[in-house]
Amino acid sequence: MSSDTSKSPIRNSRAVVRLPIIIGITLAAGVLLGSTFFSGGKKLSDVAKGYAKYREVLMLVENNYVDSVNTDDLVDFSITKMLEKLDPHTAYFNSEEATAARSQLESGFDGIGVEFNIFNDTVYVVTPLSGGPSETAGIQSGDRIISVNKENLSGPGVTNAQVYKVLRGKRGTKVDLGIERVGMPDKINVAVVRDRIPTYSVDASYMINNETGYLKVSRFSETTYDEFKTALKALKSEGLKNLILDLRGNPGGYMEKATSMADEFISGDKLLVYTEGKDSRFDRKTRSHVEGLFEQGPLIVLVDEGSASASEILAGALQDHDRALVVGRRSYGKGLVQMPIKLSDGSELRLTISRYYTPSGRSIQKPYELGKGEDYSQDLSHRYESGELFNADSIKFDKSKVYKTDGGRIVYGGGGITPDIFVPKDTLLNSKYLFELYSKNIIREYALKYANEHQKQLEKGSFDNYVNNFQVTDAMLSELGRDATRAGIKLNEKELNHSRPVIAAQTKAIIGRYVWGRKQKSGLNNEVFRVLNPTDNVYQQAVQMFGQAAQLEKGKFSSMNIPRN
């Protein structure tokens, strides 16, 4: 190093200057949240040594590196890479990412409506938000978004901020996505029209018949518990005696909203969930304590591979106390607790501090290795390839993690909530032609066009009459096919006929929603679910299981004939 360089005055960038502030604010947050944040770990002096080394390197790069560098970017990158050595859910968000992430649960926004995670430099869809434009366009859990408007969205350096920037935008604008999907050899191109993403989390609440209700919860946000109570009270006023609670595709959210919901179903003073960590200050037990709205009556809970975190806490509590019959497929398996720590510049560290456990002692978290997120992120693909989504016998249990419910039924720990009644994923009516219709929004656009042209005629009747009597005709499907041809989709009569039930149901649901549902402001999408649920194999099985759910509630397990693995 030349003498001129060594004598140059030290010029600290904003990133270098803010490092002590970041450390300080982190320590302060630790003090507020439980005496000393680092208690139980290395001494603060050891942490300070590491910080001093890092600051020294950063200053040397800033002042002496041959080219100009953005040290703010270096700081963000190094923090992100450091956290990759930990569990898959500890994460760092810069200020833009933190604001966008909080808006998922706290306020509305304009975008395409997906929950996503970035693993191994690839954007994975956790779940499309119910009623949002991505769901309408056919985006599915496990899809990989590899390009946006023909620009790559995968590869080294992809960040949450980058994803938010390209996926969010003014409502009504279109975004073209390049999708890779398990089971399909070729990339799928999907056009999604951005819209206002609703803050509602109760998607549907209606009576199936005089005694049976259906309630769909898509996430656990700030308003979920209040929405849930309002919906449940309305169902009870209509004669509710049996309930289906649908948590499929629900990625979680605020734990206390899930436990408050559990408390509405579970009587007395019972454990709902507990957490344990390295520091006992983060250990917590949550118990039932209120007189709930539906503590008696057969209850069925639907879960699948998209049900995660708070959804699993709720389903696990109900299953362990033999309060609900759980139907569907094994849930996601996220049982790590993150504490959000806001840093001085608006960025946020979400640090894993403990694990969730169900009342019986089961860990919800599926296995992972520190610093090895690739296999973890590929879990849904592995489930597909192993056959687990289609056959209960393919579910692998850790026989060393056997637990029992209150009534003595065997349940397994070590990864998600396994249903009492397994129902396979239904892909029989899928086809490439169907995915192409989804990819260019043909079904939605045709349905909206039809609804506009026939709205006055349709509104003369009731929605009940529409559900029971309206048929999507051959002429309508032929017109839809012509729209698809004009959009560049080559007609495939064989695949059209094969997927006809799905196309017809989707078309009918969207027409019904547009004509009858868009005027109400409760956030409910009852019109869609009332049309589509009867074609849903998990729902179809669930409505037939209330006899067993009633036996479960009475503690008559021997007569239930519930298959266990």
Side-chain angles (χ1 to χ4, degrees):
M1 184 167 60
S2 69
S3 58
D4 288 339
T5 304
S6 63
K7 293 179 181 178
S8 298
I10 296 177
R11 297 179 299 277
N12 290 335
S13 73
R14 183 163 63 93
V16 175
V17 172
R18 72 179 171 134
L19 274 175
I21 302 175
I22 292 176
I23 294 293
I25 201 73
T26 304
L27 290 174
V31 171
L32 291 172
L33 289 165
S35 186
T36 305
F37 182 75
F38 294 101
S39 66
K42 289 188 175 182
K43 293 180 180 179
L44 187 58
S45 59
D46 293 334
V47 177
K49 287 179 183 178
Y51 156 67
K53 181 192 292 186
Y54 178 70
R55 185 174 188 274
E56 182 180 6
V57 171
L58 193 64
M59 290 177 64
L60 288 170
V61 170
E62 168 73 5
N63 294 318
N64 302 301
Y65 184 68
V66 63
D67 295 320
S68 297
V69 294
N70 186 321
T71 45
D72 278 335
D73 289 345
L74 287 180
V75 169
D76 288 347
F77 179 77
S78 58
I79 292 173
T80 299
K81 285 299 179 182
M82 173 181 68
L83 298 181
E84 285 181 3
K85 292 293 184 181
L86 306 180
D87 67 273
H89 296 292
T90 290
Y92 167 77
F93 298 86
N94 64 33
S95 57
E96 290 183 359
E97 293 170 337
T99 299
R102 285 191 293 270
S103 73
Q104 297 275 359
L105 296 177
E106 297 175 1
S107 64
F109 56 90
D110 291 351
I112 70 166
V114 292
E115 286 279 353
F116 69 88
N117 277 328
I118 299 175
F119 294 113
N120 197 30
D121 298 321
T122 301
V123 180
Y124 287 83
V125 175
V126 175
T127 187
L129 302 187
S130 181
S134 287
E135 183 188 57
T136 301
I139 302 297
Q140 299 180 7
S141 297
D143 282 352
R144 299 181 288 275
I145 304 177
I146 59 174
S147 67
V148 176
N149 293 329
K150 298 184 180 179
E151 296 290 332
N152 287 338
L153 192 63
S154 60
V158 62
T159 65
N160 285 292
Q162 180 184 355
V163 177
Y164 288 132
K165 184 176 181 180
V166 296
L167 295 186
R168 294 189 176 184
K170 187 176 181 180
R171 72 189 74 175
T173 58
K174 186 178 76 169
V175 58
D176 293 313
L177 306 180
I179 299 292
E180 288 183 349
R181 178 172 297 163
V182 174
M184 298 199 68
D186 300 322
K187 182 182 77 171
I188 307 169
N189 294 310
V190 181
V192 182
V193 178
R194 296 184 180 95
D195 200 353
R196 186 66 176 173
I197 305 306
T199 57
Y200 302 109
S201 49
V202 174
D203 282 347
S205 176
Y206 66 89
M207 293 296 289
I208 301 170
N209 54 43
N210 291 336
E211 295 185 344
T212 304
Y214 172 85
L215 204 158
K216 167 77 172 176
V217 180
S218 62
R219 60 179 50 236
F220 293 93
S221 68
E222 286 184 336
T223 62
T224 299
Y225 181 53
D226 291 336
E227 291 179 54
F228 165 77
K229 286 198 299 181
T230 299
L232 191 55
K233 287 177 181 177
L235 292 178
K236 289 190 69 177
S237 71
E238 296 182 54
L240 178 71
K241 293 183 179 179
N242 312 309
L243 178 65
I244 294 177
L245 177 62
D246 193 344
L247 300 178
R248 289 177 296 170
N250 184 322
Y254 295 123
M255 181 189 77
E256 62 270 21
K257 306 303 179 183
T259 54
S260 293
M261 283 178 58
D263 204 352
E264 296 295 337
F265 296 114
I266 296 173
S267 62
D269 176 26
K270 296 187 178 71
L271 184 64
L272 301 177
V273 67
Y274 67 95
T275 61
E276 289 184 353
K278 178 171 64 178
D279 190 330
S280 61
R281 271 175 278 259
F282 300 127
D283 295 351
R284 176 180 175 185
K285 291 184 178 180
T286 303
R287 307 186 69 88
S288 60
H289 63 280
V290 303
E291 185 177 344
L293 290 171
F294 196 71
E295 291 182 351
Q296 293 182 334
L299 175 63
I300 293 176
V301 175
L302 309 185
V303 297
D304 66 6
E305 58 279 359
S307 307
S309 192
S311 296
E312 298 171 292
I313 291 172
L314 176 53
L318 295 172
Q319 187 179 53
D320 280 359
H321 290 306
D322 299 305
R323 177 65 189 92
L325 187 70
V326 181
V327 177
R329 295 183 294 278
R330 183 165 65 96
S331 63
Y332 184 85
K334 181 187 181 297
L336 296 176
V337 185
Q338 284 72 50
M339 178 173 67
I341 305 171
K342 191 172 182 180
L343 306 181
S344 60
D345 63 344
S347 58
E348 185 173 284
L349 173 66
R350 294 189 179 180
L351 186 67
T352 297
I353 56 169
S354 56
R355 287 180 170 83
Y356 291 121
Y357 294 88
T358 70
S360 67
R362 288 183 287 168
S363 171
I364 295 170
Q365 180 60 43
K366 60 189 174 186
Y368 66 90
E369 292 185 56
L370 290 178
K372 295 184 179 180
E374 184 172 357
D375 278 347
Y376 186 86
S377 67
Q378 294 285 338
D379 179 59
L380 292 182
S381 296
H382 294 331
R383 295 192 199 188
Y384 182 96
E385 293 162 358
S386 70
E388 178 183 326
L389 301 184
F390 307 98
N391 192 327
D393 293 336
S394 298
I395 302 175
K396 294 182 174 60
F397 295 98
D398 186 340
K399 300 297 184 180
S400 67
K401 298 178 179 177
V402 178
Y403 300 85
K404 289 187 177 181
T405 68
D406 289 354
R409 295 186 301 139
I410 293 176
V411 288
Y412 294 93
I417 303 299
T418 300
D420 301 306
I421 305 295
F422 174 84
V423 184
K425 188 176 181 67
D426 186 4
T427 59
L428 292 177
L429 298 177
N430 288 350
S431 67
K432 184 179 179 181
Y433 186 72
L434 174 63
F435 290 135
E436 288 177 335
L437 294 179
Y438 281 145
S439 73
K440 293 193 176 181
N441 274 333
I442 301 300
I443 297 175
R444 177 179 181 274
E445 293 303 321
Y446 173 76
L448 294 183
K449 179 178 69 173
Y450 184 93
N452 280 324
E453 293 174 354
H454 299 82
Q455 182 171 348
K456 290 182 179 180
Q457 177 185 351
L458 291 168
E459 283 181 330
K460 292 178 181 178
S462 67
F463 181 73
D464 286 341
N465 183 65
Y466 173 82
V467 171
N468 294 326
N469 299 304
F470 183 85
Q471 298 291 328
V472 175
T473 64
D474 290 341
M476 292 173 66
L477 287 180
S478 295
E479 186 177 352
L480 186 150
R482 289 192 292 272
D483 287 350
T485 301
R486 284 191 290 269
I489 301 175
K490 185 178 180 181
L491 178 62
N492 187 317
E493 291 278 3
K494 182 178 179 181
E495 292 187 358
L496 171 60
N497 289 328
H498 178 76
S499 300
R500 178 191 176 103
V502 176
I503 298 170
Q506 291 281 346
T507 302
K508 181 175 178 178
I510 297 170
I511 293 171
R513 181 184 183 187
Y514 188 81
V515 173
W516 284 277
R518 63 193 179 104
K519 296 179 181 179
Q520 55 86 18
K521 298 181 179 180
S522 65
L524 298 177
N525 296 311
N526 287 345
E527 292 76 18
V528 169
F529 286 93
R530 286 185 61 185
V531 172
L532 294 183
N533 273 344
T535 69
D536 178 342
N537 67 321
V538 179
Y539 172 91
Q540 288 174 336
Q541 179 114 1
V543 294
Q544 300 175 25
M545 305 302 297
F546 277 108
Q548 294 194 30
Q551 293 299 311
L552 176 66
E553 185 188 16
K554 296 175 183 176
K556 298 179 179 179
F557 309 124
S558 60
S559 61
M560 287 173 55
N561 192 31
I562 293 179
R564 300 301 305 171
N565 295 278

